Amino acid sequence: FRRLVLEPHFFDKDAGTIKLETDPNDQFGTVIKGTLQMSDELKIFSINENKMFSQKDLIKLLKFNRIHFVDPLVQQNLLNAYKSFVFKTQSEGHAKGDDRGNKSVALDKVVDTNLPTDFSLKIPIYKGERSITFRVELCLDVTDGGAKFWMESVELHELLQTEKDIIFDREIKRCEGLVVIY
């Protein structure tokens, strides 16, 4: 019998990996490597990734992912609001300067809209893990070319780290004291 020792250099939380070697001195020894990956369901929302959606793309995303919404009625209201998107912008600016290099430039833009600003999802954060509920904010930028949308979530940002810590602690405990029979 041989006991396996899980040493600190065998796990890397930043990379999301745990590596277990049955015999580190044998180049042909068995290596078991686990990788923590974000769930495919979460990836499609591109939350906190600065991915911009057009109105058409956002509507399609909301329409085909109702299953992940905590409340289907909220999803339907959100979908209807973004289908009939109405906005009003007001811009004001000024620019001052002199011949000595002094400058002052300012632009104030106010966007008034009927759109809901947030919703809640219940979705697995990491592959193979339980679903977790968190709030998502829908952000908007209106330009001359139309509107662009993106999603942000402070809760998800925090959950990614706390859930990773929980999963790593659980998996490391599972590996402690393993016995291998040759």
Side-chain angles (χ1 to χ4, degrees), residues 52-55 57 85 139-143 145-150:
M52 300 288 211
F53 294 94
S54 66
Q55 180 184 9
D57 292 338
F85 172 47
C139 304
L140 158 75
D141 187 22
V142 177
T143 61
K148 293 291 182 189
F149 306 91
W150 69 95

Side-chain angles (χ1 to χ4, degrees), residues 9-171:
H9 66 275
F10 288 128
F11 57 93
D12 182 353
K13 280 190 182 181
D14 293 334
T17 60
I18 296 176
K19 183 171 75 170
L20 184 66
E21 296 179 354
T22 57
D23 189 357
N25 298 324
D26 181 2
Q27 71 181 27
F28 298 108
T30 303
V31 176
I32 302 166
K33 185 175 181 181
T35 305
L36 187 61
Q37 297 174 341
M38 202 174 294
S39 73
D40 293 334
E41 298 92 343
L42 182 60
K43 284 182 190 176
I44 61 173
F45 285 94
S46 300
I47 301 167
N48 298 337
E49 294 181 12
N50 295 327
K51 179 180 178 185
M52 300 288 211
F53 294 94
S54 66
Q55 180 184 9
K56 181 181 174 183
D57 292 338
L58 183 64
I59 289 170
K60 186 176 179 181
L61 178 69
L62 296 173
K63 181 188 275 186
F64 290 104
N65 288 286
R66 177 175 46 190
I67 193 169
H68 303 300
F69 281 76
V70 172
D71 184 354
L73 184 60
V74 170
Q75 181 267 353
Q76 190 61 49
N77 292 339
L78 199 64
L79 188 58
N80 291 337
Y82 279 84
K83 281 182 179 179
S84 61
F85 172 47
V86 176
F87 67 92
K88 180 180 164 186
T89 61
Q90 202 174 8
S91 297
E92 186 178 311
H94 76 266
K96 294 189 269 184
D98 61 23
D99 57 0
R100 298 190 149 276
N102 299 314
K103 287 184 182 181
S104 174
V105 178
L107 174 65
D108 293 325
K109 182 167 98 174
V110 177
V111 179
D112 186 26
T113 181
N114 64 336
L115 295 175
T117 58
D118 65 317
F119 59 93
S120 293
L121 291 175
K122 184 171 184 177
I123 197 166
I125 294 175
Y126 293 110
K127 285 185 179 181
E129 295 295 321
R130 65 185 169 86
S131 293
I132 298 175
T133 301
F134 58 93
R135 194 173 139 270
V136 178
E137 294 177 52
L138 270 164
C139 304
L140 158 75
D141 187 22
V142 177
T143 61
D144 294 337
K148 293 291 182 189
F149 306 91
W150 69 95
M151 296 181 216
E152 295 179 351
S153 176
V154 174
E155 288 180 37
L156 176 61
H157 179 73
E158 293 169 353
L159 281 169
L160 285 169
Q161 189 57 49
T162 57
E163 286 298 306
K164 183 186 283 189
D165 291 342
I166 290 168
I167 293 166
F168 261 78
D169 291 345
R170 180 186 71 210
E171 294 304 317

